[in-house]
C-alpha cells in the first residue's frame, strides 16, 4: 500500500450508514459490540441535524472508505478556550500501515489549530498497546494523573431525579 492514495474528507449526510458500520467495526475491535446503541436516525440527528453536536472525518484509501474519526468541541475553564476532543478513531484492519491513521490525526490537529483550540485530547483503552504506541509516536502524552468518570443508565437517571439542593 505504499503507493496508495490517501484522502480525508468531512462526512456528509449520505455517509450515515457508513459511519454506523464503522462504529460497529470499532466496537468489535474494542470487544464492546454489545454496547452499540447508535442508529442511523440518531447519528443523522446528532451529526447533521439542526444543532450538530459532533463531526466526522472519513478516511479513504484509493477511494475506498477505510476509517473515520468522530470529534467534538469541549471547553477548558483554565485556558478560556475550547478544545477538540476525539471520541473515536478507527482504521479498518486491511488498511492499517498505509498511514491513514496519521493523516486522520494530522487533519484533526489542523482543525484544532485553525479553530484556535487550546488542546486536542482523547482517551484510549489501557489494554490497547498498539494504539498507545501509535499516539506516543505522534508526540501525545498520557494523562496518568486523571481518571475518566462516568454516569450512565440507572445511575444517571437516579442522580437526575434528585431534587435536593
Amino acid at each position: 500500500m505504499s503507493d496508495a492514495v490517501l484522502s480525508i474528507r468531512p462526512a456528509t449526510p449520505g455517509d450515515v450508514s457508513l459511519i454506523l458500520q464503522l462504529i460497529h467495526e470499532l466496537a468489535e475491535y474494542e470487544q464492546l459490540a454489545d454496547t452499540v446503541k447508535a442508529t442511523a436516525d440518531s447519528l443523522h440527528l446528532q451529526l447533521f441535524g439542526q444543532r450538530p453536536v459532533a463531526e466526522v472525518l472519513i478516511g479513504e484509501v484509493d477511494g475506498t472508505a477505510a476509517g473515520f474519526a468522530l470529534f467534538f468541541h469541549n471547553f477548558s475553564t483554565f485556558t478560556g478556550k475550547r478544545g477538540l476532543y476525539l471520541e473515536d478513531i478507527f482504521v479498518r484492519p486491511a488498511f492499517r500501515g498505509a498511514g491513514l491513521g496519521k493523516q486522520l490525526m494530522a487533519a484533526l490537529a489542523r482543525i484544532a489549530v485553525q479553530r484556535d483550540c487550546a488542546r486536542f485530547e482523547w482517551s484510549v483503552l489501557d489494554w490497547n498497546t498498539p494504539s498507545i504506541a501509535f499516539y506516543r509516536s505522534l508526540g501525545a502524552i498520557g494523562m496518568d494523573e486523571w481518571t475518566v468518570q462516568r454516569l450512565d443508565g440507572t445511575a444517571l437517571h437516579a442522580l437526575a431525579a434528585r431534587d435536593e439542593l
Side-chain angles (χ1 to χ4, degrees), residues 119-149:
R119 54 188 171 216
F120 170 25
E121 298 176 308
W122 60 93
S123 296
V124 60
L125 292 165
D126 60 4
W127 59 259
N128 194 344
T129 54
S131 292
I132 293 169
F134 168 66
Y135 298 140
R136 295 296 179 273
S137 77
L138 300 176
I141 56 169
M143 303 296 292
D144 295 329
E145 66 275 17
W146 294 87
T147 62
V148 176
Q149 306 297 305

Side-chain angles (χ1 to χ4, degrees), residues 27-130:
E28 285 289 332
Y29 173 75
E30 291 185 344
Q31 303 166 21
L32 296 169
D34 60 330
T35 66
V36 177
K37 305 285 189 267
T39 65
D41 288 341
S42 68
L43 288 174
H44 189 274
L45 177 66
Q46 299 300 325
L47 299 175
F48 304 105
Q50 188 173 352
R51 291 187 57 143
V53 296
E55 299 173 66
V56 174
L57 296 179
I58 302 291
E60 298 175 332
V61 176
D62 293 330
T64 300
F68 81 114
L70 188 146
F71 64 99
F72 56 88
H73 288 286
N74 55 16
F75 187 80
S76 167
T77 53
F78 288 5
T79 67
K81 291 185 172 189
R82 65 183 173 172
L84 191 139
Y85 189 83
L86 173 61
E87 179 66 22
D88 283 312
I89 185 169
F90 177 71
V91 174
R92 288 175 160 158
F95 298 99
R96 292 183 187 154
L100 187 62
K102 285 182 185 175
Q103 285 212 7
L104 282 164
M105 293 297 284
L108 292 164
R110 283 190 294 276
I111 290 169
V113 169
Q114 290 166 355
R115 296 180 184 179
D116 195 30
C117 294
R119 54 188 171 216
F120 170 25
E121 298 176 308
W122 60 93
S123 296
V124 60
L125 292 165
D126 60 4
W127 59 259
N128 194 344
T129 54

